[in-house]
DNA sequence: TGCCAAATAT
DNA sequence: GATATTTGGC
């Protein structure tokens, strides 16, 4: 089925139009709350009388998606009756009474949330999440009729996005399993769905869905900056009402697109999975937590000791092409000297990503860029396997692409090893618009976004592996000694001399590409020539 | 806070 | 065993 923008139009405004049953014994309070809800474009039916509210719901349950009910232990109409008799309707309870027993009673009776009065806009605006939660987690038999269309529409929308391949630059939420989870719930008992969604309203609009990484930093006393900004490039899921659209619920059926996942399991059976995850390995966590994928806590604040433990370790960032692309863009934007983790992190604007994550990736990135490989690997020319491996080693790349460039300078950048044999279908994730293979047919791209030459051409370029930054720790740019127009040219002689000289003066550094270490025989011969015949092992 | 290397996970 | 990523020390 082909979906059009019009098909999704109805949902772009979600949760506007959500039908809310509001019950509050206080006439002033009910009016105030109603006004706030209506300001959010919710469709509110308000009641001050519990019996009236209940009968309204029982008569036309399809008229309501969610209820906001005030409970009171002092009044005869405490709201509990409604709660008990409208179990299928996700019900948010509110009260001036914050005592634990009242809250527990509400939850025990099936309330999805307990909100202290007064009800601010902040508290109210996210109640829609309970509707989604209910729609996806209630067994079919207990799914309120009013929510079935919600569920079906959401499912269709999510499916549509997957088919359209709209899954770039967004941290994913797996709702793929949610439907299945609802089946599980159904198997357990009809009442299992009455367990409340965890602390939904603590997730404020615009706040990120994935925060365990930050929490990790926070617990370490780090001042890790939390990226609260959300621009068009943000890679986190924005759960705000305004943005619950195709951009934000992407990849929902793309387990392989996991960006960040937590992989803890606990001996005590407590599984923490507040983070979004698409990794099949983590699905069990979703099951354990009732499959609530839409309601993590604010800023990853742990809800309990289990979650603290869950956050302490093993949050793993999967550096997908998109994420890496952002990383590379940030690095290039900052420049070699300024590319430090904190700044990269700022530029990337990826929620959930920590400075540690970036630092780690930067470390790898730099190592790759400097072509750091064990010397033995280089020297092992007698190993045919190694030889063939080295033969695939990319030699150079184009300089970082800048979109404002209209031509491509012939600066030759260092390149690092290709992980696999290149094929025509190799995935390339350079910056958008990078003219990868256009100017030079046959040029490939490696996993780090740099196009590379195939081995035959490569063998005739004895350039240093890092043309910038090898001289006495200072940035020295050799690139202008490089051929300017064609790969057929050889580098300037003085450049080669410079590279060789440097390699000899700093034997601890990895050899520049193109420079081969001397063979053991030649070394022995040279030593012998210098009167050294015994080599201590 | 950044960098590096060891440890750990996949 | 290779590679990717986290963790911990400096």
């Amino acid at each position: 089925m082909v979906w059009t923008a019009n098909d999704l139009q109805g949902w772009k405004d979600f949760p506007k139009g959500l039908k809310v049953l509001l019950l509050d014994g206080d006439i002033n309070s009910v009016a105030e709350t109603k006004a706030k809800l209506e300001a959010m474009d919710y469709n509110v039916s308000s009641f001050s009388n519990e019996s009236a509210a209940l009968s309204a719901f029982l008569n036309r349950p399809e008229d309501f998606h969610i209820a906001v009910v005030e409970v009171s232990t002092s009044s005869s109409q405490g709201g509990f009756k409604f709660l008990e008799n409208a179990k299928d309707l996700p019900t948010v309870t509110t009260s001036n009474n914050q005592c634990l027993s009242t809250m527990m009673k509400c939850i025990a009776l099936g309330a999805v949330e307990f909100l202290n009065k007064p009800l601010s806009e902040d508290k109210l605006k996210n109640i829609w999440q309970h509707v989604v939660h209910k729609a996806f987690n209630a067994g079919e038999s207990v799914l309120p009729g009013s929510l079935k269309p919600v569920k079906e529409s959401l499912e269709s929308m999510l499916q549509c996005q997957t088919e359209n391949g709209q899954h770039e630059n967004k941290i994913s939420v797996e709702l793929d399993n949610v439907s299945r989870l609802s089946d599980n719930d159904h198997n357990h008992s009809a009442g299992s769905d009455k367990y409340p969604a965890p602390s939904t309203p603590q997730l404020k609009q615009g706040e990120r869905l994935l925060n365990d990484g930050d929490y990790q930093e926070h617990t370490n006393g780090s001042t890790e900056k939390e990226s609260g900004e959300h621009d068009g490039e943000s890679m986190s899921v924005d759960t705000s009402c305004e943005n619950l659209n195709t951009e934000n619920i992407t990849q929902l059926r793309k387990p392989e697109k996991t960006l960040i996942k937590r992989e803890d399991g606990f001996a005590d059976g407590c599984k923490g999975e507040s983070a979004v995850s698409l990794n099949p390995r983590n699905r069990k966590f979703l099951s354990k937590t009732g499959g609530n994928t839409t309601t993590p806590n604010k800023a990853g604040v742990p809800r309990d000791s289990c979650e603290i433990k869950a956050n302490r370790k093993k949050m793993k960032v999967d550096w997908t092409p998109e994420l890496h692309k952002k990383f590379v863009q940030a690095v290039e934007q900052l420049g070699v000297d300024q590319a430090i983790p904190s700044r990269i992190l700022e530029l990337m604007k990826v929620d959930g990503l920590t400075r540690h994550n970036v630092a780690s990736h930067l470390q790898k990135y730099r190592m790759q860029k400097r072509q750091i490989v064990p010397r033995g690997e280089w020297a092992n020319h007698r190993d045919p396997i190694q030889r063939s491996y080295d033969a695939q080693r990319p030699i150079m790349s184009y300089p970082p692409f800048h979109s404002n460039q209209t031509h491509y300078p012939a600066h030759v950048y260092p390149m690092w090893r290709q992980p696999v044999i290149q094929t025509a279908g190799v995935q390339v994730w350079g910056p958008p618009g990078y003219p990868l293979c256009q100017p030079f047919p046959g040029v490939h791209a490696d996993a780090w976004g740099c196009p590379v030459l195939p081995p035959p051409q490569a063998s005739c370029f004895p350039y240093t592996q890092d043309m910038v930054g090898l001289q006495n720790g200072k940035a020295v740019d050799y690139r202008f000694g490089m051929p300017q127009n064609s790969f057929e040219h050889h580098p300037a002689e003085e450049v080669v001399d410079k590279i060789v000289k440097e390699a000899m003066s700093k034997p601890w550094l990895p050899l520049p590409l193109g420079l081969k270490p001397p063979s053991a025989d030649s070394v022995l011969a040279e030593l012998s020539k210098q009167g050294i015949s015994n080599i201590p092992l």
Side-chain angles (χ1 to χ4, degrees), chain A residues 491-509:
Chain A
E493 204 170 312
E494 61 270 22
V495 173
V496 176
D497 288 341
K498 205 169 185 176
I499 294 165
V500 172
K501 189 176 175 184
E502 182 183 322
M504 292 178 70
S505 67
K506 296 180 180 178
W508 58 88
L509 288 176

Side-chain angles (χ1 to χ4, degrees), chain A residues 330-347:
Chain A
V331 169
E332 290 177 354
Q333 188 176 333
L334 288 166
V336 179
D337 297 334
Q338 305 298 318
I340 58 177
S342 56
R343 288 182 183 167
I344 296 170
L345 187 62
E346 274 180 38
L347 283 177

Side-chain angles (χ1 to χ4, degrees), chain A residues 1-8 11 153 156-157 160 163-164:
Chain A
M1 178 176 181
V2 179
W3 281 68
T4 67
N6 286 339
D7 294 316
L8 296 173
W11 283 104
S153 297
S156 298
M157 179 177 69
C160 165
E163 288 168 359
N164 287 344

Side-chain angles (χ1 to χ4, degrees), chain A residues 174-318:
Chain A
E174 178 172 17
L175 290 186
D176 180 24
N177 292 310
V178 175
S179 295
R180 274 177 259 155
L181 288 169
S182 69
D183 295 339
N184 293 338
D185 286 347
H186 185 52
N187 291 338
H188 294 153
S189 74
S192 62
D193 63 290
K194 292 299 287 183
Y195 292 123
S199 306
T200 302
Q202 273 71 46
L203 182 71
K204 294 190 173 59
Q205 281 191 334
E207 283 181 347
R208 63 177 174 236
L209 183 58
L210 190 144
N211 283 308
D212 51 351
D214 277 337
Y215 169 66
Q216 181 187 26
E217 294 291 329
H218 294 157
T219 54
N220 290 338
S222 164
T223 54
E224 194 74 56
K225 184 174 180 181
E226 180 174 330
S227 171
E229 299 175 52
H230 291 263
D231 60 11
E233 294 295 315
S234 171
M235 294 184 76
S236 77
V237 171
D238 186 335
T239 57
S240 69
C241 298
E242 294 83 359
N243 294 311
L244 186 70
N245 56 28
T246 58
E247 280 298 301
N248 296 317
I249 316 182
T250 54
Q251 301 182 6
L252 292 168
R253 296 175 184 272
K254 287 290 218 178
E256 69 281 8
K257 280 292 188 178
T258 302
L259 293 182
I260 300 182
K261 61 214 174 200
R262 187 186 300 138
E263 296 162 356
D264 275 15
F266 301 103
D268 59 3
C270 175
K271 308 283 186 183
E273 178 64 19
S274 63
V276 290
S277 172
L278 294 181
N279 193 312
R281 286 189 299 275
N282 297 322
R283 287 176 182 173
K284 58 178 181 264
F285 299 141
L286 295 173
S287 300
K288 290 283 182 181
T289 53
N292 187 329
T293 58
T294 61
T295 58
N297 278 349
K298 173 185 177 181
V301 174
R303 287 187 292 272
D304 51 36
S305 60
C306 293
E307 191 163 327
I308 291 172
K309 281 191 281 183
N311 279 294
R312 189 169 296 158
K313 213 180 173 185
K314 295 182 193 172
M315 190 217 54
K316 198 160 188 172
V317 174
D318 195 355

Side-chain angles (χ1 to χ4, degrees), chain A residues 127-160:
Chain A
I127 59 174
W128 61 267
Q129 295 178 40
H130 294 297
V131 176
V132 177
H133 175 79
K134 181 84 175 183
F136 279 94
N137 289 281
E140 289 294 332
S141 63
V142 295
L143 186 64
S146 63
L147 298 192
K148 284 178 182 170
V150 175
K151 180 181 179 183
E152 287 164 9
S153 297
L154 282 175
E155 283 178 334
S156 298
M157 179 177 69
L158 305 183
Q159 181 65 50
C160 165

